[in-house]
Amino acid sequence: MTERQKDRPWLMRTYAGHSTAEASNELYRRNLAKGQTGLSVAFDLPTQTGYDPDHVLARGEVGRVGVPVSHLGDMRRLFQDIPLEQMNTSMTINATAMWLLALYQVVAEEQGLDEEAIAKLSGTTQNDIVKEYLSRGTHVFPPGPSLRLTTDMITYTVNHIPKWNPINICSYHLQEAGATPVQEISYAMSTAIAVLDAVFASGQVPDERRGDVVARISFFVNAGVRFVEEMCKMRAFGRIWDKVTRERYGIENPKQRRFRYGVQVNSLGLTEAQPENNVQRIVLEMLAVTLSKDARARAVQLPAWNEALGLPRPWDQQWSLRIQQVLAHESDLLEYEDIFAGSHVIEAKVDALVTDCLAEIDRIQEMGGAMAAVESGYLKSQLVSAHAERRARIESGEEKIVGVNCFEGTEPNPLTADLDTAIMTVDPANEDRVVRSLHDWRDNRDEARAQDALSALKKAAAGDTNLFPATLECARAGVTTGEWAWALRDVFGEFRAPTGVSGAPVAVTAETGSPLAVVREKVARTAAELGGGRLRLLVGKPGLDGHSNGAEQIAVRARDAGFEVVYQGIRLTPEQIVAAAVAEDVHCVGLSILSGSHAALVPDVLERLRRAGAPDLPVIVGGIIPSADATELRRAGVAAVFTPKDFGITEIIGRIVDEIRTANRLDPLEVPA
């Protein structure tokens, strides 16, 4: 080949954060020393959803899936000895994005950066609220006020921190919620259109600066294991973005129309069964977003092989970083122009995706755009349906997952020989330490200044001025994350997103002799023996974990099997779940938790059921639950524990019927589930 300079590698990140700001700071500095070239901050769920760690809903969630940042002091400690002017920092934060960016800016100022240096800060805040309503569940405010927060933040950064990406439109979680490539592209593009329309309608950006706004819109995508299709998806994404920005917004500069995206490959596609297979899955998924130069990611972060088991250790994260480094520095990938240019197979696939996506985008625009399609429930019901169809293909064996529904025989795995040390665990005492630190912070701040700042924030929210300056003053005044969010809740209200369950069609067949028909028979016979109408199942998500995909699929399949299903969505306290179980007189309570808060919340539900006079009501639990924790839960009285290795949903519903029969002292049915 002709000698040419190698392309620069993409930004290499690891999505990380846990326990405390101090522990996470140590982890970041260690990862940077290993050759990581950017930071990707994982915040815990209370921080993401606007609660302080001493709020009832934060119980069991503090420091679990990310770092708790309750105020300026935490942000200082998080980035201690890390020069922010040299960093490219990605922050996975949405409803509270404005707040976290304000804290970041104030810490940069405290590091000595003047206005000119602040303007050179680079990084990304996720800040895409639409996908929170659809799939991830860390929304706080209704769609209108949420869009205003995003708009105000975009206009502020374009004027004051112009190298910052104030939003990355995030299709990542849409794929995890079941989106097909067409849905993933179409819903993300519709969100981008809604955001840009709102920014330009706000009057905060002159027409001649429209290109500056478009140039700062980035995307965050998912790459699944069907890597040819995924690579074509990225080429289609770029082609559609170029068309939308040119034709809808009149952006003439091709550099400003460039489709810029970061990627995390598919974490929820990783398996608990034979988890060593996840390594090759991660590699294949990374190739989808790196092989094609014309559609290459600007930043990549990879999950670890053991994420379906629990929280990865630093060594596991290092392994994923080394995967990126080997591809970038040992292979010849970066020495060539686009290797798919001129491929008739690739072109045909991309053309088909573009055609289908433009039609779906038009359909959403006819509904009034992405926000209207969220509020009507259209987008959510489409995702729940697509996910149900995929689960049905896996259960039937039509879609193969190695080690799960085929090639299940395996040698003993030395990586998981000791499951208790194969993942990292967060010290249960950590939460108390964080809460004490929060109380010390509140006791030692200038209370009058903090209250004045909150009053000014509420006044700004009730009017139409940009909310970022008031938010900056809150950060400087020592206001806490929960206080900032509650001030805005007082003005904007809160929002409960549609669940999408009631509108989902039947996904699996129930012909005579089929697994679903057999379970339907068990449900009907058990209901008849117990009397009182249909069997009733309450599906609950205690705490702040908003990943509701699994809960929704259980709810849909239980409905199809003949259950009456009570599903109220996400973010419930144990008290609310028990009250609903008693009021609805259910036969079983199913709890879904992926965040690690099961150890605190499930025993609380059990104890409240005992106090409510329902000690024999069977409780089942599903989620990412380490084996030692599963043993503890069963010992505490949980009837059954299901984890990602239990992929047969119809079989799970059959097991639920068995537990109902056992709890009610009915004889086992001689019917295979």
Side-chain angles (χ1 to χ4, degrees):
M1 73 170 233
T2 309
E3 281 295 317
R4 64 179 292 273
Q5 191 173 0
K6 282 180 75 165
D7 292 326
R8 234 171 65 190
W10 51 90
L11 271 171
M12 298 183 192
R13 293 181 170 133
T14 305
Y15 182 58
H18 66 85
S19 301
T20 62
E22 292 88 344
S24 299
N25 172 264
E26 183 185 344
L27 180 64
Y28 295 162
R29 287 189 285 113
R30 200 185 315 163
N31 286 347
L32 290 167
K34 290 174 181 172
Q36 192 173 292
T37 53
L39 290 177
S40 181
V41 182
F43 295 100
D44 73 354
L45 288 172
T47 306
Q48 292 184 51
T49 50
Y51 295 101
D52 283 333
D54 58 353
H55 190 276
V56 61
L57 272 170
R59 185 174 167 225
E61 306 280 16
V62 177
R64 287 278 175 188
V65 299
V67 57
V69 174
S70 307
H71 47 70
L72 181 60
D74 287 341
M75 200 63 135
R76 275 184 201 132
R77 288 189 288 273
L78 186 62
F79 291 105
Q80 190 171 332
D81 301 323
I82 297 175
L84 296 187
E85 75 276 11
Q86 298 173 26
M87 276 300 105
N88 189 299
T89 305
S90 171
M91 295 193 278
T92 300
I93 198 77
N94 297 281
T96 54
M98 180 182 286
W99 173 243
L100 271 296
L101 181 59
L103 292 175
Y104 190 84
Q105 178 180 323
V106 175
V107 167
E109 291 167 355
E110 290 182 346
Q111 288 188 359
L113 274 62
D114 59 15
E115 196 173 318
E116 188 179 332
I118 294 290
K120 293 177 181 173
L121 289 175
S122 65
T124 304
T125 27
Q126 194 167 99
N127 201 18
D128 169 8
I129 206 67
V130 170
K131 64 93 175 51
E132 298 302 324
Y133 300 132
L134 298 178
S135 56
R136 195 164 163 273
T138 68
H139 53 79
V140 177
F141 313 110
S146 293
L147 192 56
R148 177 186 169 187
L149 282 165
T150 300
T151 297
D152 284 358
M153 194 164 144
I154 290 171
T155 54
Y156 176 85
T157 55
V158 165
N159 289 313
H160 299 280
I161 319 177
K163 294 192 171 188
W164 194 268
N165 300 322
I167 187 170
N168 59 8
I169 310 293
C170 187
S171 71
Y172 176 88
H173 304 91
L174 301 181
Q175 186 182 118
E176 289 198 335
T180 64
V182 169
Q183 290 171 328
E184 194 178 336
I185 296 171
S186 304
Y187 298 175
M189 283 293 159
S190 298
T191 299
I193 289 168
V195 168
L196 285 173
D197 284 357
V199 170
F200 297 142
S202 75
Q204 297 185 65
V205 178
D207 284 353
E208 64 271 16
R209 297 208 62 195
R210 283 186 164 210
D212 294 338
V213 174
V214 169
R216 297 325 305 171
I217 304 295
S218 63
F219 290 77
F220 187 70
V221 305
N222 200 329
V225 78
R226 292 171 56 82
F227 77 95
V228 175
E229 182 174 74
E230 294 290 302
M231 190 268 296
C232 291
K233 178 185 80 180
M234 299 323 306
R235 294 172 83 89
F237 247 133
R239 197 175 295 180
I240 293 171
W241 183 240
D242 186 80
K243 177 182 173 69
V244 167
T245 53
R246 187 178 67 251
E247 296 180 5
R248 188 179 182 93
Y249 302 112
I251 309 303
E252 295 177 5
N253 184 341
K255 282 188 176 178
Q256 293 177 325
R257 297 198 309 266
R258 187 179 296 149
F259 182 75
R260 300 176 311 115
Y261 76 97
V263 67
Q264 157 107 3
V265 307
N266 192 348
S267 289
L268 282 191
L270 303 180
T271 65
E272 180 184 5
Q274 299 181 26
E276 65 277 8
N277 296 337
N278 293 330
V279 177
Q280 49 266 37
R281 291 186 180 106
I282 290 166
V283 172
L284 285 170
E285 290 166 352
M286 177 179 61
L287 291 178
V289 294
T290 52
L291 275 180
S292 169
K293 181 181 177 181
D294 291 349
R296 184 170 293 151
R298 300 284 287 267
V300 176
Q301 56 192 48
L302 302 181
W305 68 276
N306 55 350
E307 294 214 5
L309 306 175
L311 192 65
R313 301 157 299 186
W315 184 85
D316 308 312
Q317 293 186 327
Q318 175 184 298
W319 191 354
S320 290
L321 175 62
R322 295 291 184 248
I323 290 172
Q324 294 199 59
Q325 291 169 331
V326 168
L327 181 67
H329 301 297
E330 291 188 29
S331 85
D332 59 352
L333 174 72
L334 298 175
E335 296 172 12
Y336 293 91
E337 294 302 321
D338 196 280
I339 60 176
F340 297 101
S343 164
H344 62 88
V345 174
I346 299 297
E347 282 304 309
K349 178 70 175 172
V350 174
D351 286 345
L353 283 171
V354 168
T355 299
D356 291 347
C357 289
L358 290 175
E360 180 65 8
I361 292 167
D362 286 345
R363 188 175 298 118
I364 292 167
Q365 290 307 114
E366 286 167 12
M367 294 176 187
M371 291 301 181
V374 166
E375 291 181 296
S376 71
Y378 169 76
L379 296 185
K380 182 65 175 180
S381 63
Q382 293 294 106
L383 288 175
V384 172
S385 299
H387 198 193
E389 288 166 11
R390 178 171 183 262
R391 292 296 306 227
R393 290 196 301 273
I394 293 170
E395 289 177 75
S396 70
E398 178 188 345
E399 186 169 322
K400 297 197 179 337
I401 300 179
V402 173
V404 174
N405 64 358
C406 62
F407 309 112
E408 295 166 63
T410 180
E411 296 295 322
N413 183 347
L415 290 172
T416 56
D418 182 355
L419 277 172
D420 293 336
T421 60
I423 55 171
M424 199 179 91
T425 53
V426 173
D427 180 358
N430 177 69
E431 188 166 315
D432 288 339
R433 288 194 291 268
V434 173
V435 168
R436 282 200 305 274
S437 172
L438 169 70
H439 292 165
D440 288 344
W441 175 267
R442 287 201 197 114
D443 290 343
N444 291 304
R445 70 185 178 185
D446 181 340
E447 190 62 27
R449 184 181 178 186
Q451 294 306 321
D452 287 348
L454 286 166
S455 296
L457 176 67
K458 284 187 185 182
K459 185 177 178 183
D464 58 5
T465 57
N466 190 299
L467 290 169
F468 208 95
T471 296
L472 275 172
E473 172 53 22
C474 284
R476 294 178 180 125
V479 165
T480 67
T481 298
E483 290 169 337
W484 178 86
W486 280 108
L488 293 181
R489 283 181 176 100
D490 285 348
V491 179
F492 296 150
E494 286 192 83
F495 185 71
R496 290 195 74 78
T499 67
V501 167
S502 59
V506 175
V508 296
T509 57
E511 291 102 355
T512 303
S514 68
L516 185 58
V518 172
V519 172
R520 271 187 178 174
E521 174 64 15
K522 287 178 70 168
V523 170
R525 286 176 61 181
T526 303
E529 289 178 53
L530 289 173
R534 292 158 67 195
L535 291 187
R536 291 176 296 282
L537 170 68
L538 184 145
V539 177
K541 285 196 64 64
L544 297 176
D545 168 36
H547 287 90
S548 56
N549 309 329
E552 288 154 5
Q553 295 307 309
I554 292 291
V556 169
R557 192 67 56 83
R559 176 205 68 186
D560 296 347
F563 273 88
E564 179 183 330
V565 178
V566 179
Y567 176 56
Q568 299 169 314
I570 62 170
R571 221 177 295 172
L572 302 169
T573 63
E575 186 177 17
Q576 289 170 319
I577 288 170
V578 170
V582 172
E584 300 285 349
D585 193 22
V586 298
H587 296 95
C588 181
V589 173
L591 304 177
S592 168
I593 305 177
L594 277 74
S595 64
S597 61
H598 51 264
L601 299 181
V602 174
D604 192 9
V605 171
L606 292 169
E607 176 57 30
R608 288 176 184 276
L609 283 171
R610 289 186 195 105
R611 294 208 302 264
D616 298 325
L617 183 63
V619 174
I620 62 164
V621 180
I624 297 177
I625 299 171
S627 59
D629 288 6
T631 301
E632 283 298 314
L633 291 177
R634 282 189 288 265
R635 191 174 293 143
V638 168
V641 177
F642 299 100
T643 65
K645 71 178 182 297
D646 301 297
F647 70 94
I649 298 181
T650 300
E651 183 183 343
I652 291 172
I653 304 303
R655 286 276 307 279
I656 291 172
V657 181
D658 292 341
E659 297 302 339
I660 291 171
R661 294 188 69 83
T662 300
N664 287 278
R665 297 172 179 79
L666 299 179
D667 293 334
L669 285 177
E670 298 301 319
V671 182

